Amino acid sequence: MDSKSNFLDNQLIDTRFVEEDLIKIFKFTYEGNKKNSAICQIEKNVIGKIQRCNFEASETSAVKKYNLWRHVKRHHREIYNDLVKKKDIQDKAFDKRNHTDEENKNCGPSSIKKLKVEQKKINSFFKSSRISISMDSETFRDGLVEMVCLSTTPLHTFTLKNKGFQKIVGEIAKQLGVSIGQDAVRQLVINTAESARLDLMKILAGKFCYLKFDAATRANRNFLAVNVQYYDDGKDKPVTKTLDIVDTECRHDSLYIKNQVKAILEKYEINEMNVLSICVDNAANMTCAVRHFNDTDILESKIETILHENDVTGEYCEEINFDDVSDQWIENPNLILPSWLIGNDSRVQLMRCGVHTLQLAILDGLKKEYSQIILTKIRQVVVKLRTPTIRNILLKLYGVTQSVDTVTRWGSTFVMIDRLLIFQDYCEQVAAAGSKELMLTKADWGEIKIFRDILEKPNATTISLQAADITPGCFMKEWHKLAKFLEDCGGELANGILLSMKKREVKLFQNSHLLAGIYVDPRYRILLSDEQLIKAKEGLFDIFRRLEKEKYYQKLNTSTDNACSEHMSSSLEKFMNDTSDSDEDEFEKQLDKKEKRQRISLMKIGNEEELNTCFRQACRILEGMGRLKVKSVFESFALYPESIQLACRIVSSMPTTQVSVERLFSALKIILNERRQSMKNDLLSAILFNRVNNYDES
């Protein structure tokens, strides 16, 4: 206790000191208006000789008054105490003078009575036996949900046994008519998530989107998390939302993952044909799950049966006699509609996470024999530095530092080497004293510095690629910048990482939508090779064609009298199967067919060649603009041809990494703490959904 009190006493500085008191003790030098140094002017007796204190503070330390007064208090205690006594005397004199003036002013009985009344008013203003709160029931419910979802408040807080909470909040809840029981709060959280899911379902209706999913283990439980990313018209940028998180019950095989993802899509009524790409890490089960995602299922088989059962591939003809095919067009729309309008869209594409791919390339470079020799020497020293005795010494010398070396953590090798170089002086001093465990030659230290300098750029690139608003063009820029840096550096480590990057980018850039997102970015289109340029246009045309089909489907599902009134459906299958109720007579069904034939006959649908011509013209205008200097790729789309603007926005909203899912698992670690590990999946999913989707911007 004594040592602790002495320590606290030494840390506390009297707050009554002013700048003039400091000038009497220290001599300051200035650089402009800023203090450059402070030299202590106090003289002290050292072995019978009067010597001036040699303390000097420079730059930042000279500006901080606390550091200077702390020196005076520690090393010149008598002077410090004298200053404190002077301040005490000044304060007493000031209080006595004010007290005398107040007595002379209020010497009469009436003035004393008036003073008491005023004091009573002040006390009644600040203190009250009751308070009034302006709050509605909706705000109160939102507060309860935030307590559980954001502040991770356990549900047992709301039990009747928690007398303190019930005493504070119970009266408010009673007046507002809100139950704060454990079961009621639990149901409130779940209902809030369900309401938000319905709102998200309406937003995603008919939208083209991208998926990101991953699996992880938390609190001895296995989870699969699915995120969706799409272009938001109002915000003019991509938006990421969490669809669901499910307990996989220790099943991580690709078929099970595929079925779970499809079940989530059905839950949100998302058409699988509207999913453009799926971003996953490089794990085999994840990539296989995306490939299985494209397997022909019952729905696709049904559509193919409807569209191709007669095996007719005729082109659209304006002079076709609709009466002759009145009984055939429903079964075989090829007789009336152009082939591009009824053809199947390209299937969902696989997107490998860019950050995971980069980390695998870095790991490949570190596995080289030369790198392993250096890393072995480094780890031998780091292991010794982790011993409790040396850690305490390093803590006193360098403060709080870390030397993490976790292979699964991004950039852990760079962090370990960077921290080791901080301890270089200590290691050299201990090695010079005869310790062989911390012995590294000057050549070794030189190689370690080279290692650090080379790994610093990949680590910075990893951090850049974790940004929430990273677009395909920005991803391409960061990838090529790193490749250029490694090429300029040379050496075995840099060449090892560079060769692995070039090898892995073959699969990374197979996604045509990713290349299309780079193609529409005028800043970084030039980075595409000729082969990638062709594939990029194919990816952009795929989305352009889908949007054109969606436009015609809306017209087909809207009455001729009110053709632009409302978006009813984006599915050709629903249009063809949208007949009258089963209990209606055959005559009503024939009228429905006739009405549908009339819609198609009034529509002017261009053939595939006209569609291609329109797209090629837009691309020529796009490429003719050259490199535009814009802060965001979305700023450039206003200059593009109107026919292609929406397609450009959609491909630019494509996720190049799945970092948002990794952050989701980080939040899961917080939610599933030691007191909440047995939480049921419905509540866990609701808490995570509310936390990420409802409060992500706040």
Side-chain angles (χ1 to χ4, degrees):
M1 289 296 293
D2 293 340
S3 61
K4 184 176 181 181
S5 61
N6 291 335
F7 174 77
L8 293 174
D9 184 54
N10 288 329
Q11 297 302 311
L12 297 176
I13 303 298
D14 199 310
T15 58
R16 295 174 294 177
F17 296 139
V18 294
E19 185 73 17
E20 294 178 358
D21 299 326
L22 206 60
I23 294 175
K24 294 178 182 178
I25 300 175
F26 291 91
K27 181 181 179 181
F28 293 97
T29 59
Y30 294 86
E31 185 175 336
N33 294 328
K34 186 178 179 181
K35 294 177 182 177
N36 190 34
S37 66
I39 303 174
C40 183
Q41 299 295 307
I42 298 175
E43 296 180 345
K44 56 183 179 179
N45 191 336
V46 180
I47 316 177
K49 294 182 180 180
I50 302 299
Q51 294 182 0
R52 180 175 293 178
C53 179
N54 59 359
F55 174 79
E56 180 178 356
S58 59
E59 297 179 355
T60 307
S61 299
V63 179
K64 296 181 179 180
K65 297 178 182 178
Y66 174 80
N67 293 341
L68 302 179
W69 283 116
R70 185 176 59 183
H71 165 74
V72 176
K73 188 172 183 179
R74 286 181 177 178
H75 301 281
H76 310 291
R77 191 63 179 239
E78 294 180 358
I79 295 176
Y80 182 86
N81 291 337
D82 291 340
L83 288 172
V84 173
K85 289 179 181 178
K86 288 181 181 179
K87 294 296 180 183
D88 292 339
I89 294 171
Q90 292 174 2
D91 291 344
K92 288 180 180 179
F94 180 78
D95 293 340
K96 185 176 180 180
R97 183 170 63 253
N98 287 347
H99 183 67
T100 304
D101 294 341
E102 191 67 26
E103 286 181 348
N104 294 333
K105 183 179 179 181
N106 302 317
C107 57
S110 59
S111 59
I112 296 174
K113 184 177 180 181
K114 183 179 178 182
L115 182 63
K116 291 182 178 180
V117 172
E118 291 179 353
Q119 187 66 32
K120 186 176 181 180
K121 288 182 179 180
I122 294 173
N123 291 338
S124 63
F125 180 81
F126 287 103
K127 299 179 182 179
S128 175
S129 58
R130 290 184 175 274
I131 60 173
S132 299
I133 298 177
S134 177
M135 180 186 297
D136 56 13
S137 58
E138 192 64 30
T139 303
F140 186 78
R141 290 189 180 93
D142 289 342
L144 293 176
V145 174
E146 289 185 22
M147 286 179 64
V148 177
C149 299
L150 290 183
S151 304
T152 63
T153 304
L155 286 179
H156 64 72
T157 304
F158 306 96
T159 59
L160 294 176
K161 295 180 180 179
N162 193 341
K163 301 293 184 181
F165 181 80
Q166 295 291 336
K167 188 176 294 184
I168 296 172
V169 185
E171 185 64 26
I172 302 175
K174 183 179 179 181
Q175 294 295 329
L176 294 175
V178 179
S179 175
I180 56 172
Q182 181 176 356
D183 295 336
V185 174
R186 183 184 191 278
Q187 194 60 43
L188 176 63
V189 173
I190 294 175
N191 291 343
T192 303
E194 286 300 323
S195 176
R197 286 192 181 102
L198 292 176
D199 295 338
L200 181 59
M201 188 186 303
K202 295 176 183 178
I203 294 174
L204 294 174
K207 277 188 177 291
F208 293 109
C209 59
Y210 305 91
L211 295 184
K212 298 181 279 186
F213 60 79
D214 196 8
T217 302
R218 293 290 183 272
N220 297 322
R221 295 168 64 183
N222 305 101
F223 295 98
L224 173 70
V226 181
N227 278 5
V228 62
Q229 188 161 314
Y230 59 92
Y231 172 72
D232 190 296
D233 301 326
K235 298 179 180 178
D236 192 27
K237 67 176 184 179
V239 175
T240 302
K241 295 290 184 181
T242 296
L243 291 181
D244 208 350
I245 180 168
V246 295
D247 192 338
T248 61
E249 299 176 353
C250 301
R251 294 189 61 183
H252 283 170
D253 59 280
S254 57
L255 289 175
Y256 180 82
I257 292 174
K258 179 205 74 171
N259 293 333
Q260 290 294 324
V261 173
K262 290 201 171 189
I264 293 173
L265 292 179
E266 290 181 8
K267 180 179 178 180
Y268 284 88
E269 298 181 0
I270 298 175
N271 190 343
E272 294 178 14
M273 302 300 291
N274 287 346
V275 179
L276 302 174
S277 298
I278 299 178
C279 184
V280 296
D281 58 18
N282 288 267
N285 60 336
M286 294 298 165
T287 54
C288 288
V290 178
R291 294 191 184 99
H292 289 315
F293 197 91
N294 287 321
D295 292 343
T296 304
D297 56 13
I298 298 175
L299 176 62
E300 291 176 345
S301 299
K302 184 178 179 181
I303 294 177
E304 289 182 3
T305 301
I306 294 173
L307 296 181
H308 302 294
E309 65 178 347
N310 292 328
D311 195 24
V312 179
T313 58
E315 289 291 336
Y316 174 72
C317 180
E318 294 182 357
E319 299 179 357
I320 191 167
N321 189 345
F322 289 98
D323 293 333
D324 295 341
V325 294
S326 60
D327 297 329
Q328 303 178 33
W329 79 273
I330 288 293
E331 287 76 15
N332 187 15
N334 281 318
L335 295 175
I336 296 178
L337 301 177
S339 58
W340 72 267
L341 188 62
I342 59 176
N344 286 334
D345 292 318
S346 60
R347 300 189 177 189
V348 62
Q349 297 189 47
L350 168 66
M351 176 63 203
R352 298 173 184 268
C353 176
V355 179
H356 282 86
T357 304
L358 175 58
Q359 293 305 309
L360 290 174
I362 295 172
L363 194 61
D364 290 341
L366 293 174
K367 286 181 179 178
K368 300 295 182 181
E369 183 178 357
Y370 167 76
S371 301
Q372 286 296 310
I373 294 173
I374 301 298
L375 288 176
T376 300
K377 295 179 181 179
I378 292 173
R379 289 194 173 102
Q380 287 176 353
V381 176
V382 170
V383 169
K384 182 63 178 176
L385 294 177
R386 288 176 181 167
T387 58
T389 304
I390 297 181
R391 285 180 62 184
N392 290 333
I393 297 173
L394 297 177
L395 182 63
K396 294 179 181 179
L397 293 175
Y398 302 98
V400 179
T401 55
Q402 293 181 346
S403 56
V404 181
D405 184 24
T406 307
V407 178
T408 57
R409 185 175 299 178
W410 294 343
S412 61
T413 303
F414 165 75
V415 173
M416 177 185 66
I417 298 174
D418 188 50
R419 294 297 184 269
L420 178 60
L421 288 172
I422 296 176
F423 307 142
Q424 180 179 354
D425 293 339
Y426 172 79
C427 293
E428 289 178 342
Q429 291 176 12
V430 175
S435 176
K436 295 182 179 180
E437 294 173 322
L438 300 180
M439 181 64 186
L440 287 172
T441 64
K442 289 186 178 180
D444 292 337
W445 285 112
E447 290 177 340
I448 291 173
K449 288 180 181 178
I450 295 174
F451 252 59
R452 192 271 310 276
D453 294 340
I454 293 176
L455 291 176
E456 186 176 9
K457 181 61 177 178
N459 184 69
T461 303
T462 301
I463 296 173
S464 300
L465 294 181
Q466 295 180 49
D469 57 349
I470 189 78
T471 60
C474 293
F475 172 78
M476 190 71 162
K477 166 197 169 186
E478 295 295 335
W479 185 270
H480 278 265
K481 275 180 63 178
L482 178 58
K484 182 67 169 58
F485 169 80
L486 295 172
E487 185 177 354
D488 294 339
C489 284
E492 294 189 29
L493 176 60
N495 290 335
I497 298 175
L498 180 60
L499 290 175
S500 182
M501 286 178 62
K502 290 182 177 179
K503 179 181 177 181
R504 293 182 179 277
E505 72 179 11
V506 175
K507 292 183 177 180
L508 181 64
F509 293 111
Q510 282 181 347
N511 190 300
S512 63
H513 294 151
L514 171 67
L515 297 175
I518 302 170
Y519 173 73
V520 301
D521 194 329
R523 301 168 297 176
Y524 310 117
R525 184 188 307 124
I526 196 171
L527 295 174
L528 293 172
S529 64
D530 294 339
E531 183 180 349
Q532 290 174 337
L533 203 60
I534 296 172
K535 199 167 184 178
K537 292 180 181 180
E538 292 176 358
L540 184 61
F541 180 73
D542 172 53
I543 296 179
F544 174 74
R545 186 183 66 251
R546 288 173 186 246
L547 291 171
E548 290 296 312
K549 292 171 68 172
E550 187 72 17
K551 180 174 65 176
Y552 286 118
Y553 291 165
Q554 291 181 25
K555 292 181 180 179
L556 289 173
N557 285 279
T558 309
S559 64
T560 55
D561 294 333
N562 192 13
C564 301
S565 62
E566 184 181 5
H567 172 66
M568 299 174 62
S569 173
S570 61
S571 172
L572 181 60
E573 182 202 10
K574 181 177 180 181
F575 170 69
M576 292 187 295
N577 293 332
D578 186 17
T579 58
S580 304
D581 296 334
S582 58
D583 58 347
E584 293 185 357
D585 56 23
E586 190 66 26
F587 181 72
E588 291 288 341
K589 296 180 180 179
Q590 291 297 327
L591 291 179
D592 290 336
K593 291 183 179 180
K594 185 175 181 179
E595 191 264 345
K596 291 179 181 179
R597 290 197 301 272
Q598 186 180 29
R599 292 187 209 175
I600 295 180
S601 63
L602 293 175
M603 291 175 59
K604 294 183 179 181
I605 305 176
N607 56 33
E608 191 169 1
E609 183 58 34
E610 293 176 353
L611 189 73
N612 290 333
T613 302
C614 177
F615 177 77
R616 287 195 295 267
Q617 290 176 351
C619 287
R620 281 196 293 269
I621 297 174
L622 183 149
E623 294 175 9
M625 293 181 178
R627 295 194 68 222
L628 300 178
K629 302 297 184 179
V630 291
K631 293 182 179 180
S632 171
V633 63
F634 292 94
E635 296 178 4
S636 61
F637 296 148
L639 305 174
Y640 288 4
E642 187 176 354
S643 61
I644 208 173
Q645 285 183 10
L646 183 55
C648 293
R649 287 184 167 90
I650 291 175
V651 294
S652 296
S653 302
M654 177 182 177
T656 56
T657 66
Q658 54 154 194
V659 179
S660 64
V661 186
E662 302 289 343
R663 295 194 182 103
L664 201 64
F665 290 133
S666 298
L668 186 62
K669 186 186 297 185
I670 298 173
I671 295 172
L672 281 181
N673 52 40
E674 295 179 355
R675 305 175 70 182
R676 308 171 84 179
Q677 290 186 6
S678 59
M679 185 185 300
K680 292 184 179 179
N681 194 54
D682 58 345
L683 178 61
L684 175 63
S685 179
I687 291 176
L688 199 60
F689 187 91
N690 288 327
R691 182 187 182 95
V692 177
N693 289 351
N694 295 350
Y695 306 112
D696 55 351
E697 294 183 358
S698 60

